[in-house]
Amino acid sequence: MSAPLKLGLFYAALYIATGVYSPYISVWLKSGGLSGGEIGTILALPLLARAATGPLLAIWADRFKLRRTAILIMAAAATGLFGAMLAVGGFWPWLCLWFLASTLFGACAPLTDVIVLRRAARDGFPYAFSRGIGSAAYVIGNVGAGALLGVFGAPVILIWTTFAAALAAATVPMLLPPEPVAGVTAVVDRWGGTGALLRDPVFMLMISSAGLIQAAHAFYYSFSTLVWRAQGLSTTLIGLLWGVGVGVEVAFLWFGEDWRRRMGPERLLILGGVGAVVRWTAFAFSPPVWLLFPLQALHALSFTSTFIASLQLVERLSPPESASAAQSLNAALYSGVLIGGATILSGPLFDRFGPLGYLAMSALAAVGLIGAIRLRAHLMKATTIALASGTADNPAATS
């Protein structure tokens, strides 16, 4: 079996779990009698803490001889924690267990990214191929769990998630290569440029704009399934809707490389903001089923386009010695602080306004879109100045 396929299959083992709990854990928590506000708090806390837990777990993981060792330990621990949620009840036990389980299991993907990105660069295969296999498995989780949910009820969500986490842990030695970890000095040095990045207004404008567009997905991730069920959609149809969203992501990753290069990351970020504003505004007014499918296809813009653009812009706007710190800051903002805050906000919005809560997400995306437009204008101006002064080949000159 080729290395890209083996790595893709491990992504699949991870995302066939997240493809179930991302859309449906709110259904399980709701079945336990929790309110929208309580559900939002449970889901938001690990996200808010990710700015700290992500780097801390990464540093801990780099203490091992092999990168995959930490992934195996975290996936195995998460398996037990997910299973324990089935054995207890109530807000506080679920809050504690979910925080630990989702934090540990969620950290497996970025650590896997490190392995796959390095192998892709060394062996010359596209990262998007392996990552796309994971996204395809996410679709299987969406659709499969949606169908089973309608037959067996809410407990199937935690049962599937527990077994999928166990599968990920069991396949670590078979699918992940024994990639060695650099020395401890390298772990400490990689955070050295954080202060300079935080003081760079252009870099902060970029990650804030992308982060706001991504954070606008919070209501969708946490409450779209509950909204659609209240509107009378079956869980099977809801699974298909989630599957369409991630299906276009897979297509974008596998077949959109040439188009993405022509567009450039600045315009991709703007398109991501436009797609998010249109998508969430339309969702707020409970569109008919036939319209939901093309709106779900906008996931290729609102999420994937924004994600790819942010990775490329972080690489462009940060010096090589600060690359790890820059990507970590980017991830901590868009998948941590901002989306965590938006998720907490989403709970009361769902309780009080139902689907109209999407309008708050549209407003977040609009602010991110304005920032993306300002960023492009700044970069175009900086490029013009650099060309005039003969420094256009220096990346730092345009940042």
Side-chain angles (χ1 to χ4, degrees):
M1 188 185 300
S2 68
L5 180 57
K6 289 175 68 174
L7 294 168
L9 289 175
F10 185 73
Y11 273 129
L14 292 177
Y15 287 115
I16 205 167
T18 56
V20 174
Y21 70 66
S22 292
Y24 300 120
I25 191 62
S26 60
V27 175
W28 187 83
L29 293 169
K30 186 75 170 176
S31 73
L34 300 190
S35 68
E38 289 172 325
I39 294 170
T41 301
I42 288 175
L43 299 183
L45 188 59
L47 301 174
L48 289 169
R50 190 170 289 172
T53 60
L56 287 173
L57 285 172
I59 292 173
W60 168 78
D62 281 352
R63 296 281 180 174
F64 292 97
K65 182 178 179 180
L66 301 178
R67 293 190 181 278
R68 69 185 186 186
T69 303
I71 297 173
L72 190 156
I73 293 171
M74 291 191 295
T79 299
L81 292 163
F82 283 132
M85 292 183 70
L86 290 164
V88 300
F91 173 77
W92 288 107
W94 286 340
L95 175 70
C96 296
L97 288 170
W98 179 256
F99 176 85
L100 293 171
S102 63
T103 296
L104 291 174
F105 199 74
C108 293
L111 292 179
T112 303
D113 285 338
V114 174
I115 295 174
V116 178
L117 286 167
R118 291 193 176 193
R119 283 295 175 117
R122 189 183 70 191
D123 299 344
F125 64 86
Y127 162 79
F129 172 78
S130 299
R131 179 62 173 76
I133 294 174
S135 296
Y138 190 97
V139 175
I140 294 172
N142 295 161
V143 178
L148 292 176
L149 180 61
V151 177
F152 298 106
V156 75
I157 302 307
L158 256 296
I159 294 171
W160 180 313
T161 299
T162 301
F163 278 100
L167 174 66
T171 56
V172 166
M174 294 179 281
L175 298 177
L176 290 184
E179 181 81 19
V181 177
V184 174
T185 302
V187 175
V188 177
D189 287 349
R190 71 183 182 179
W191 308 106
T194 302
L197 292 169
L198 290 171
R199 293 189 298 270
D200 184 341
V202 178
F203 180 82
M204 293 305 298
L205 173 63
M206 186 278 295
I207 65 170
S208 298
S209 302
L212 285 167
I213 296 169
Q214 294 286 31
H217 290 74
F219 194 91
Y220 168 72
Y221 289 149
S222 301
F223 295 104
S224 63
T225 299
L226 294 177
V227 167
W228 284 332
R229 290 188 80 185
Q231 292 170 356
L233 276 64
S234 70
T235 53
T236 300
L237 180 57
I238 291 169
L240 289 172
L241 286 168
W242 273 80
V244 167
V246 185
V248 296
E249 175 186 329
V250 175
F252 192 85
L253 287 170
W254 281 352
F255 308 115
E257 179 68 21
D258 290 341
W259 182 79
R260 293 197 302 268
R261 287 180 179 176
R262 291 196 301 270
M263 292 298 296
E266 302 98 324
R267 284 188 286 184
L268 282 178
L269 187 59
I270 291 172
L271 285 173
V274 171
V277 171
V278 171
R279 190 182 182 193
W280 308 135
T281 302
F283 272 22
F285 297 99
S286 304
V289 172
W290 66 265
L291 187 55
L292 287 174
F293 285 94
L295 288 171
Q296 280 295 83
L298 288 176
H299 193 74
L301 297 182
S302 66
F303 173 78
T304 318
S305 178
T306 304
F307 174 70
I308 295 295
S310 67
L311 290 181
Q312 294 177 347
L313 287 167
V314 164
E315 184 177 3
R316 179 193 298 183
L317 297 177
S318 59
E321 64 271 16
S322 299
S324 293
Q327 293 290 4
S328 297
L329 278 174
N330 181 42
L333 196 66
Y334 85 75
S335 66
V337 176
L338 289 177
I339 199 168
T343 301
I344 283 192
L345 175 67
S346 295
L349 287 173
F350 171 75
D351 284 337
R352 185 168 183 181
F353 300 109
L356 288 175
Y358 277 115
L359 290 177
M361 303 298 107
S362 183
L364 280 181
V367 176
L369 173 60
I370 292 169
I373 294 170
R374 288 184 58 201
L375 176 71
R376 183 168 187 261
H378 176 88
L379 293 179
M380 289 178 66
K381 181 179 178 181
T383 300
T384 301
I385 294 172
L387 287 170
S389 62
T391 59
D393 290 336
N394 178 9
T398 60
S399 63

